[in-house]
Amino acid sequence: MHHQGISLDVLLDIYTCVLRIRRFEEEVSRLFRQGQLPGFVHLYIGEEAVAAGVCATLTDEDTIISTHRGHGHVIAKGGDIKRMMAELFGKASGYNKGKGGSMHIADFDIGMLGAIGIVGGGIPIAVGAGLSAWYQDSERVSVCFFGDGAANEGSFHESLNLASALNLPVVFVCENNQYGEFTPAARAMNICDIADRAAGYGIPGLVADGADALEMYRVARTAAQRARDGDGPTLIEAKTHRRGSHAEGEEAFLAGQTYRSEEELAAAWAKDPLLLLHTYIGEQNLLPAEQLETLDADITQSVREAVDAARNSPDPKVESVFEDLWV
Amino acid sequence: MPRKTYVAAIQEALSEEMRRDPRVFLIGEDVRIGVFPSTRGLHAEFGDKRVIDTPISELAVAGAGIGAAVTGLRPVVDLMFGTFLYLAFDQIANQAGAMRYMYGGQTKVPLVFMAQNGAGSSAGHHHSQAVHQFFMNMPQIKVILPSTPGDGKGLLKSAIRDDNPVLFLHSLSLGGKRGDVPAEEYLIPIGLADVKRAGGDVTICAAGPTVYTALDAADALAAEGIEAEVIDLRSLSPWDKQAVLDSVAKTGRFVAVDESFPTCSAASEWAATVAAEAFHHLRAPVQRVTNKDVPMPFSPTLEKAVLPSAEDVIAAVRRTLA
Ligand SMILES: Cc1ncc(C[n+]2csc(CCOP(=O)(O)OP(=O)(O)O)c2C)c(N)n1
Ligand SMILES: [Mg+2]
């Protein structure tokens, strides 16, 4: 890990983002286990550095598209954890007024064009956001997050080719956490690096260490600049690992079966993105330890407030079923 | 009679048919571990060759099922959630259903697509839609939506033995429901309805989870002396028109209950058929009870408000009695 070419301000932003995602997700995990959240919940713990590094290179005008594992992307793009938490509870004060839930959070005001529960469903839409940036002569970049599993959907292949053929400002970020649900990527494809697929579409394919937020930042900055310069799309593959369940409560699906070894999980924990960054900052004496502690306390407090606010906010009114229909 | 859960009955149908016929195999995402318990344990018995985990590639997997079916196998293709069938739409609509006809009868497509249908677990729009009505609209695709463990098992076994493409839809919300499942081998023919409750005042037609909505409504109405007949269609294409028409001939009133978007829903088809073919028996206009005409919201409160409820059914029955 190194921070060459990264200002202290940016470094602090990235660290704050990784930490905020972690604390938010830890709380969501607790809430789910206590039976307080309806529906399915997929957590981003272990993958925080990807969203944090990538989104730190983006402006408010730039757009992102997310997946079923989307809370981290919302936070990294500058989303409001209060509104997100309320949405997870299905409350009227949530981002989507209770109509979306964990897998569908969006904040169009900050260029977060939505999380999508259909694997690979967001990739073509990101191409469209890139198309409009080109059409409008904007410097805007369209970023698309998706998993290793999604890279086996037709939508991935069609979208990369379309973006390449039209030379659009799109950055495809594949979060290769090595599993699609319970199936290892190694059984779902016969290549080691998904980034290799970029060559088939005539665009650059870069592999990055998804546990290293600073590396993610540098790689994403290169890809975003290329897009802004009118040089077309890039595929970034972030090697990462999810720490927890595919979906919270996966024990119920597994019914005693296992799909990851203890050693594998331990190795993943050893490359914890939050710990790596925290250790690096300490070793390099970049920021005072007290500042990091205060930051953690503040974030933890804000997550707690988000939970309280969500709990105390009303259920959506039944009549709202018929709101937000045809304009 | 042994009592089993809905998912256990489906699992039993799969394992019995795989034991009986070596051409039958299961293919889909995470069918080994079993995202739905209905495929759990099959890999242990049948191994890699007959329980095949795939990449997340619905279009290719559905199409591969068709290719295998026309070359001598009898695939069961598990597409997990009904909404994921949308990704495989081309292979199902353009190919599977039309192939035999389009090629002048040269081939047959003995294939089962399996998926979970409908809402009820607050999973949001992408994981909570009933899709049966789209496939009812397609010629030459059989569609099954059972409500009980016994029906699920008997119908899935028939589907696997059928020489045509069959869409077998099961229901997450019914997964843990228990019911009688005969110990001995049995089949339930596709296209045969089952009267789940007899009554002479009004015919209520339903399938899948809405059968229970209809039965709840019927119980409440019985307290007021109104006896509803609840017909569980079980198969949606082909469907047991005669059973419905016979019942309406007796009751003169018809309420269709269906978990789909209202326009071109299954209920639309049933109601139109009754209106056209039992017109002279009808004593009141036919009624449809469906989802509200909106995408499926996430919040449990809103989801409940969008789905057909027993109160909706009772209100519809009252309209036929007014
Ligand atoms: C089209 C589609 N197929 C299947 C699913 C079920 N599903 C939800 S998440 C998931 C795994 C996705 O794997 P990946 O893209 O690697 O993302 P990860 O969960 O690892 O972040 C699957 C198969 C889905 N939601 N959409
Ligand atoms: Mg993955």
Side-chain angles (χ1 to χ4, degrees):
Chain A
M1 189 174 273
H2 70 85
H3 69 289
Q4 248 163 41
I6 301 178
S7 72
L8 271 191
D9 283 349
V10 170
L11 185 92
L12 180 60
D13 279 352
I14 292 175
Y15 178 79
T16 306
C17 180
V18 169
L19 188 61
R20 185 172 288 132
I21 299 173
R22 175 67 56 92
R23 297 292 175 252
F24 183 87
E25 295 289 64
E26 286 170 343
E27 183 60 31
V28 172
S29 178
R30 266 190 293 277
L31 292 166
F32 188 90
R33 262 180 282 128
Q34 293 163 1
Q36 299 202 40
L37 301 178
F40 298 123
V41 175
H42 307 77
L43 300 186
Y44 199 56
I45 294 177
E47 309 188 31
E48 299 92 337
V50 183
V54 170
C55 290
T57 70
L58 304 181
T59 68
D60 281 354
E61 280 68 49
D62 295 329
T63 59
I64 66 167
I65 302 252
S66 168
T67 67
H68 56 285
R69 200 176 299 291
H71 309 161
H73 305 136
V74 177
I75 290 174
K77 195 68 174 68
D80 176 356
I81 60 170
K82 267 205 170 110
R83 292 176 71 197
M84 178 149 64
M85 192 61 90
E87 188 61 33
L88 300 191
F89 276 83
K91 296 300 183 73
S93 58
Y95 260 123
N96 312 32
K97 306 175 191 167
K99 287 177 173 162
S102 166
M103 283 193 276
H104 302 281
I105 291 169
D107 184 346
F108 279 74
D109 290 340
I110 57 164
M112 166 39 183
L113 306 186
I116 289 186
I118 294 296
V119 169
I123 312 177
I125 300 173
V127 175
L131 178 81
S132 73
W134 164 77
Y135 193 99
Q136 295 163 340
D137 284 322
S138 159
E139 292 253 298
R140 219 164 59 227
V141 171
S142 165
V143 173
C144 183
F145 293 99
F146 55 94
D148 50 289
N152 295 322
E153 287 282 13
S155 66
F156 165 85
H157 296 273
E158 295 185 24
S159 298
L160 261 67
N161 189 55
L162 182 60
S164 172
L166 301 182
N167 199 41
L168 300 175
V170 185
V171 180
F172 298 99
V173 182
C174 180
E175 306 180 313
N176 184 356
N177 62 10
Q178 301 156 59
Y179 287 88
E181 289 177 355
F182 314 124
T183 302
R187 264 208 282 125
M189 55 179 76
N190 278 323
I191 52 173
C192 295
D193 294 332
I194 292 168
D196 288 352
R197 292 187 173 171
Y201 303 107
I203 64 174
L206 311 173
V207 176
D209 180 355
D212 180 344
L214 305 182
E215 181 174 327
M216 283 312 308
Y217 176 83
R218 278 190 299 271
V219 172
R221 190 171 53 183
T222 307
Q225 195 53 52
R226 189 181 132 83
R228 288 189 217 287
D229 291 345
D231 294 333
T234 302
L235 171 62
I236 298 173
E237 177 187 3
K239 303 283 192 191
T240 179
H241 208 292
R242 81 172 138 76
R243 298 307 141 84
S245 302
H246 164 67
E248 289 305 279
E250 78 177 7
E251 309 78 55
F253 294 100
L254 291 173
Q257 307 169 90
T258 54
Y259 64 100
R260 294 192 292 190
S261 67
E262 292 297 325
E263 300 81 66
E264 190 183 341
L265 272 175
W269 270 114
K271 281 199 75 182
D272 177 50
L274 175 59
L275 194 65
L276 286 179
L277 195 54
H278 188 271
T279 309
Y280 179 78
I281 290 171
E283 281 171 3
Q284 303 282 315
N285 261 322
L286 299 175
L287 298 162
E290 312 81 72
Q291 188 182 343
L292 301 187
E293 272 163 39
T294 313
L295 185 65
D296 199 348
D298 290 350
I299 287 174
T300 304
Q301 179 59 25
S302 69
V303 171
R304 239 178 249 136
E305 284 166 13
V307 174
D308 288 342
R311 276 208 194 100
N312 294 328
S313 95
D315 263 350
K317 289 207 174 61
V318 168
E319 306 82 75
S320 74
V321 154
F322 296 111
E323 289 165 7
D324 302 313
L325 296 172
W326 278 323
V327 284
Chain B
M1 212 185 287
R3 287 180 69 75
K4 303 210 160 107
T5 62
Y6 187 86
V7 285
I10 292 174
Q11 203 268 6
E12 223 171 69
L14 289 169
S15 53
E16 285 180 15
E17 290 307 300
M18 288 176 75
R19 252 171 245 144
R20 188 187 59 81
D21 184 344
R23 296 169 302 174
V24 177
F25 69 100
L26 176 67
I27 184 165
E29 291 157 24
D30 276 320
V31 288
R32 280 194 198 182
I33 280 198
V35 170
F36 299 132
S38 37
T39 69
R40 214 168 275 162
L42 295 172
H43 181 255
E45 177 174 356
F46 298 102
D48 288 356
K49 190 163 172 184
R50 299 190 60 204
V51 179
I52 305 174
D53 268 356
T54 69
I56 311 174
S57 310
E58 289 79 9
L59 181 74
V61 174
I66 297 170
V70 297
T71 51
L73 300 183
R74 305 185 75 85
V76 178
V77 178
D78 185 5
L79 290 161
M80 207 185 298
F81 278 86
T83 44
F84 308 163
L85 293 169
Y86 298 161
L87 284 84
F89 226 70
D90 165 60
Q91 290 296 330
I92 303 172
N94 276 330
Q95 324 302 343
M99 240 171 164
R100 175 172 169 75
Y101 186 83
M102 190 168 71
Y103 295 136
Q106 294 181 68
T107 190
K108 57 185 186 174
V109 189
L111 166 70
V112 177
F113 295 114
M114 262 175 59
Q116 110 79 28
N117 196 57
S121 48
S122 267
H125 184 62
H126 290 172
H127 291 78
S128 307
Q129 297 166 51
V131 299
H132 54 270
Q133 71 283 4
F134 296 112
F135 299 93
M136 286 173 69
N137 191 251
M138 286 175 196
Q140 300 295 300
I141 303 270
K142 296 190 180 182
V143 182
I144 297 172
L145 180 58
S147 68
T148 67
D151 289 351
K153 180 174 176 188
L155 278 161
L156 180 52
K157 284 170 69 89
S158 291
I160 293 172
R161 295 185 195 191
D162 200 291
D163 276 341
N164 301 289
V166 181
L167 174 58
F168 181 87
L169 295 166
H170 54 99
S171 215
L172 204 56
S173 58
L174 300 180
K177 223 173 183 59
R178 283 178 187 278
D180 293 338
V181 179
E184 66 281 3
E185 159 96 11
Y186 71 102
L187 296 171
I188 294 177
I190 297 173
L192 191 68
D194 184 40
V195 175
K196 290 285 193 288
R197 183 186 197 284
D201 296 327
V202 54
T203 301
I204 308 179
C205 188
T210 55
V211 169
Y212 299 96
T213 315
L215 287 170
D216 287 348
D219 283 347
L221 289 162
E224 307 173 18
I226 301 163
E227 291 302 331
E229 180 143 295
V230 176
I231 300 184
D232 178 358
L233 279 179
R234 307 193 291 194
S235 301
L236 300 176
S237 183
W239 63 284
D240 196 343
K241 206 156 93 171
Q242 203 50 53
V244 176
L245 293 175
D246 288 349
S247 174
V248 174
K250 187 173 70 176
T251 63
R253 297 181 180 90
F254 183 68
V255 175
V257 189
D258 178 32
E259 183 189 342
S260 18
F261 308 118
T263 310
C264 300
S265 63
S268 304
E269 181 59 24
W270 307 335
T273 302
V274 168
E277 298 184 33
F279 185 73
H280 296 293
H281 294 293
L282 284 172
R283 286 187 261 171
V286 296
Q287 301 293 323
R288 285 174 293 168
V289 178
T290 64
N291 284 9
K292 308 292 180 293
D293 199 3
V294 299
M296 188 53 70
F298 161 76
S299 126
T301 313
L302 299 184
E303 184 181 58
K304 189 159 165 277
V306 167
L307 289 170
S309 68
E311 295 72 51
D312 295 338
V313 177
I314 292 167
V317 168
R318 290 200 203 291
R319 287 196 295 275
T320 68
L321 292 161

